């Protein structure tokens, strides 16, 4: 059984990649990921604020962002314990590279163009095999146009690409006027991969305390529907690799994403729930399904049910809307 795949120009043993999360804080856990079958690991994110602000501004920024950014809640320690310098992140990359044989992908979380993008070169020098740009951005300025928002993404990518020679993936949300066009523009601008999709964590209101509070919910398999659709639509139309993230919990989820056209599937919530041992469970179930259905490689699966290759291409577009709602079973009085 050949489970190998290509992602960002890297040959991976399987399409099972660990996405950015607090799980990669400890080198021993990264080793366990490799031992349980992870083909690559994306390290937890280094934040733009860590690279460009002094301590007081940093604390204010983190407190402001915790209502919308999951990693701000799960990774950052208390302000008095926080070490401003990014040197530890570079050391962590080097230690991870020494500890495991699988590719180590660094992650930088930012939303604007600035001097912080030069840090990408230091990440490359530390030994990272690739870099994931997690552009986590919620525009709230009433005067900011959609064209300006899109250009910001392209400017960040170009600034980083000008500093490194390692592959660069862009992790982004689906909330663009025309996501297909945005994907194409990022591809043309040099993105080696697109990671679909970032999940925006929404705040909640505490009715007892009468205050805004963070509300962190791990994904469920339902969350995979949006990336599945867009990966199926984009397959065969871009040079960039396609990584599926959000809602991938079981081997069946991996299979669906591969058939849609994903090069890799990224795991997070299922590992937070069940530990990194779940990687081995998913691989076992993946192999069992492939053997039962006479598949001998991931290559056979990849894109087989994308819009390009499926029998009914309109299934991924509006044409299916009326059929879907008319077939929904209604409750009877």
């Amino acid at each position: 059984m050949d489970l190998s795949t290509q992602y960002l120009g890297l040959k991976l043993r399987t399409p099972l990649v660990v996405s950015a999360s607090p799980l990669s804080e400890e080198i021993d856990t990264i080793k366990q990921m490799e031992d349980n079958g992870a083909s690559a690991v994306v390290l937890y994110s280094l934040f733009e604020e860590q690279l460009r602000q002094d301590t007081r501004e940093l604390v204010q920024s983190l407190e402001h962002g915790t209502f919308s950014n999951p990693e701000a809640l799960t990774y950052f320690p208390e302000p008095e314990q926080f070490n401003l310098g990014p040197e530890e992140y570079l050391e962590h990359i080097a230690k991870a590279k020494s500890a495991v044989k699988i590719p180590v992908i660094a992650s930088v979380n930012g939303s604007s163009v600035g001097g912080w993008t030069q840090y990408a070169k230091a990440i490359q020098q530390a030994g990272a095999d690739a870099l994931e740009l997690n552009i986590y951005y919620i525009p709230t300025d009433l005067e900011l146009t959609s064209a300006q928002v899109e250009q910001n993404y392209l400017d960040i990518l170009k600034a980083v690409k000008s500093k490194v020679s390692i592959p660069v993936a862009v992790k982004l949300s689906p909330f663009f006027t025309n996501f297909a066009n945005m994907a194409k523009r990022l591809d043309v601008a040099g993105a080696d991969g697109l990671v679909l999709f970032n999940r925006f964590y929404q705040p909640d209101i505490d009715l007892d305390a009468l205050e805004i509070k963070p509300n962190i919910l791990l994904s469920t398999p339902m969350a995979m529907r949006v990336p599945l659709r867009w990966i199926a639509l984009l397959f065969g139309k871009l040079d960039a690799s396609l990584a599926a993230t959000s809602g991938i919990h079981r081997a069946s989820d991996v299979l669906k994403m591969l058939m849609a056209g994903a090069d890799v599937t990224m795991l997070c919530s299922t590992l937070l729930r069940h530990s990194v041992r779940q990687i081995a469970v998913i691989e076992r179930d993946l192999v069992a399904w492939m053997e039962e259905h006479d598949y001998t490689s991931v290559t056979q699966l990849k894109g087989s049910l994308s819009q390009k290759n499926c029998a009914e291409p309109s299934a991924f577009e509006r044409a299916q809307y009326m059929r879907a709602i008319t077939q929904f079973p209604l409750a009877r009085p």
Side-chain angles (χ1 to χ4, degrees):
M1 183 68 65
D2 181 9
L3 299 181
S4 66
T5 187
Q6 292 274 343
Y7 177 58
L8 304 178
L10 304 168
K11 185 172 182 178
L12 306 183
R13 189 185 66 83
T14 78
L16 305 180
V17 174
V18 179
S19 62
S21 80
L23 288 169
S24 58
E25 288 179 26
E26 301 295 332
I27 298 298
D28 284 345
T29 307
I30 297 175
K31 290 180 182 178
Q32 292 171 24
M33 294 173 185
E34 181 180 49
D35 292 342
N36 281 277
S39 64
V41 57
V42 183
L43 298 181
Y44 63 84
S45 291
L46 185 69
F47 285 73
E48 173 184 340
E49 290 82 357
Q50 290 175 260
L51 298 169
R52 66 177 176 82
Q53 297 187 359
D54 64 28
T55 305
R56 176 176 295 181
E57 291 174 328
L58 173 62
V59 171
Q60 292 173 347
S61 294
L62 297 184
E63 290 176 347
H64 174 74
T66 52
F67 295 117
S68 63
N69 199 308
E71 288 184 312
L73 289 167
T74 55
Y75 170 64
F76 284 124
E78 294 300 317
E80 63 269 15
Q81 298 174 320
F82 190 80
N83 189 327
L84 180 61
E87 293 81 7
E88 293 79 10
Y89 193 79
L90 298 178
E91 293 175 4
H92 195 63
I93 294 172
K95 289 177 181 177
K97 283 295 297 176
S98 297
V100 297
K101 295 180 181 178
I102 59 175
V104 173
I105 301 172
S107 174
V108 176
N109 189 311
S111 62
S112 65
V113 178
W116 68 271
T117 56
Q118 298 181 19
Y119 190 74
K121 186 174 182 179
I123 285 176
Q124 175 175 306
Q125 292 171 339
D129 294 286
L131 174 59
E132 182 177 284
L133 291 178
N134 187 340
I135 304 179
Y136 194 99
Y137 181 47
I138 303 177
T140 57
D141 185 344
L142 297 179
E143 305 302 320
L144 193 64
T145 68
S146 58
Q148 290 172 310
V149 171
E150 293 175 2
Q151 190 59 48
N152 185 54
Y153 279 72
L154 296 168
D155 290 343
I156 292 174
L157 172 62
K158 291 176 182 178
V160 171
K161 287 286 291 186
S162 71
K163 303 297 180 183
V164 300
S165 58
I166 57 175
V168 177
V170 181
K171 186 174 184 179
L172 66 167
S173 79
F175 304 121
F176 292 89
T177 304
N178 182 353
F179 182 78
N181 177 260
M182 191 64 202
K184 178 183 177 181
R185 293 170 68 192
L186 288 165
D187 184 43
V188 171
D192 298 284
L194 300 179
V195 183
L196 311 181
F197 285 110
N198 207 335
R199 294 176 65 222
F200 285 167
Y201 287 76
Q202 313 296 352
D204 198 0
I205 293 177
D206 186 326
L207 293 177
D208 294 320
L210 298 181
E211 61 184 19
I212 306 298
K213 66 176 185 179
N215 183 25
I216 301 301
L217 297 174
L218 297 180
S219 73
T220 68
M222 281 299 296
M224 67 178 284
R225 298 293 182 86
V226 176
L228 182 140
R229 163 180 269 177
W230 276 109
I231 287 171
L233 289 169
L234 294 173
F235 176 79
K237 300 176 182 177
L238 305 175
D239 292 328
S241 297
L242 296 173
T245 189
S246 295
I248 302 169
H249 290 249
R250 307 158 301 194
S252 58
D253 305 327
V254 173
L255 287 160
K256 291 175 184 179
M257 287 299 194
L258 292 173
M259 290 179 177
D263 295 295
V264 295
T265 56
M266 294 193 169
L267 310 173
C268 181
S269 291
T270 189
L271 306 186
L272 291 170
R273 282 194 175 101
H274 305 294
S275 87
V276 298
R277 292 190 295 274
Q278 189 68 8
I279 303 169
V281 174
I282 293 173
E283 181 176 335
R284 179 199 66 200
D285 293 346
L286 175 63
V287 170
W289 188 95
M290 291 175 67
E291 289 177 343
E292 181 180 351
H293 293 81
D294 297 324
Y295 284 90
T296 60
S297 72
V298 162
T299 301
Q300 285 179 279
L301 288 168
K302 197 179 297 183
S304 58
L305 287 178
S306 64
Q307 186 184 48
K308 178 181 177 181
N309 294 321
C310 72
E312 191 176 0
S314 63
F316 292 104
E317 298 182 1
R318 180 176 166 81
Q320 289 295 97
Y321 176 72
M322 287 301 297
R323 180 183 298 181
I325 61 174
T326 56
Q327 291 181 350
F328 188 82
L330 300 177
R332 300 298 180 185

